[in-house]
């Protein structure tokens, strides 16, 4: 069983592609989360060319949206992490996840990149897979050769709504994440949301 580190995060990275043409696509779900987190924390994300991305700061915490395109995300993450001497265990990477349905979200530590080019490049840059990931479900097109087209298209309206609800649930656990209470955060984020309570049945109404 993987030993879970207890350090509070010092870097949160949202994965996506820069540019207006990609802003609403499924592959940019990590950007959506970080933009919402920046708003929650009241910090601005500003371009910093030396770190190849948009960067915001709140105390010891930094937010990063790489502007290198997805498959070069490791350049931004590695450069910033080395400059500020941030250990991989104190990094949270937020990304879209094909293997989860829209509305599903999972927090995990370490593991395979599972073919995700952003994660793959970050692992190569850091030399390890021992960093945290927040996986935002976007669903799968059903065919492997349709994946690239699928992730570079906007989700349907109901899918986007479900993804936004998942982001809300993850943000609700932010105080635990910020304090390094990772197991508690995992318990809150990874739990399946309760289905809405149904109304009384006809038999119950007539009794």
């Amino acid at each position: 069983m993987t030993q879970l580190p207890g350090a509070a995060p010092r870097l949160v990275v949202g994965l996506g592609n820069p540019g207006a043409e990609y802003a609403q696509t499924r592959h940019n779900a990590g950007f959506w989360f970080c933009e919402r987190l920046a708003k929650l924390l009241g910090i601005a994300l500003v371009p910093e060319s030396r770190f190849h991305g948009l960067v915001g700061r709140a105390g010891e915490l930094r937010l990063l949206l790489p502007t290198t395109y997805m498959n070069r995300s490791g350049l931004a993450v590695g450069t910033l992490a080395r400059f500020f001497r941030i250990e991989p265990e104190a990094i949270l990477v937020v990304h879209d996840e094909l293997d989860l349905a829209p509305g599903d979200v999972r927090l995990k530590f370490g593991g395979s990149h599972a073919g995700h080019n952003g994660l793959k490049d970050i692992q190569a840059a850091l030399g390890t897979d021992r960093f945290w990931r927040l996986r935002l479900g976007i669903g799968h097109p059903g065919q492997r050769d349709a994946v690239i087209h699928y992730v570079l298209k906007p989700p349907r309206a109901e899918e986007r709504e479900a993804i936004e609800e998942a982001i809300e649930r993850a943000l609700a656990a932010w105080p635990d994440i910020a304090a390094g209470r990772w197991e508690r955060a995992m318990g809150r984020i990874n739990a399946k949301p309760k289905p809405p309570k149904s109304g009384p049945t006809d038999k119950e109404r007539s009794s």
Side-chain angles (χ1 to χ4, degrees):
M1 183 177 179
T2 303
Q3 180 78 22
L4 297 179
R10 293 183 56 205
L11 174 60
V12 178
V13 183
L15 296 190
N17 287 307
E21 67 270 36
Y22 296 110
Q24 304 305 318
T25 64
R26 294 179 175 97
H27 225 14
N28 276 38
F31 275 17
W32 303 343
F33 176 89
C34 273
E35 289 163 352
R36 294 276 297 278
L37 180 59
K39 187 175 181 179
L40 177 69
L41 298 178
I43 61 178
L45 294 166
V46 298
E48 292 211 27
S49 58
R50 60 178 174 164
F51 299 131
H52 311 280
L54 303 178
V55 181
R57 181 182 177 185
E60 290 296 308
L61 175 71
R62 284 177 170 81
L63 272 59
L64 170 64
L65 274 62
T67 52
T68 55
Y69 290 97
M70 182 67 79
N71 63 354
R72 294 295 310 282
S73 299
L75 175 62
V77 177
T79 301
L80 191 149
R82 285 190 296 272
F83 186 87
F84 292 109
R85 298 181 181 178
I86 299 173
E87 294 296 323
E89 291 84 357
I91 298 174
L92 171 63
V93 177
V94 188
H95 63 92
D96 57 305
E97 177 57 69
L98 288 162
D99 292 335
L100 296 175
D104 284 347
V105 56
R106 297 287 186 277
L107 178 63
K108 66 171 288 190
F109 179 72
S112 166
H113 56 71
H116 192 289
N117 287 331
L119 291 178
K120 183 178 181 180
D121 200 57
I122 291 170
Q123 286 186 10
L126 297 178
T128 182
D129 65 357
R130 289 182 59 80
F131 54 88
W132 289 91
R133 303 100 184 274
L134 184 67
R135 306 160 64 212
L136 294 168
I138 61 168
H140 197 286
Q143 294 181 319
R144 188 173 180 179
D145 58 4
V147 165
I148 293 176
H149 179 78
Y150 178 79
V151 300
L152 295 179
K153 291 292 182 182
R156 297 192 302 270
E158 65 274 17
E159 293 174 337
R160 180 63 186 256
E161 183 179 353
I163 294 168
E164 291 293 341
E165 288 173 356
I167 289 173
E168 279 292 328
R169 294 202 309 277
L171 288 173
W174 174 253
D176 287 323
I177 294 173
R181 297 189 293 263
W182 294 100
E183 289 199 40
R184 182 172 174 179
M186 290 172 71
R188 295 184 64 180
I189 293 172
N190 296 357
K192 287 278 188 180
K194 294 180 180 180
K197 291 183 179 180
S198 57
T201 63
D202 291 339
K203 183 177 181 180
E204 289 170 335
R205 281 194 293 266
S206 62
S207 60

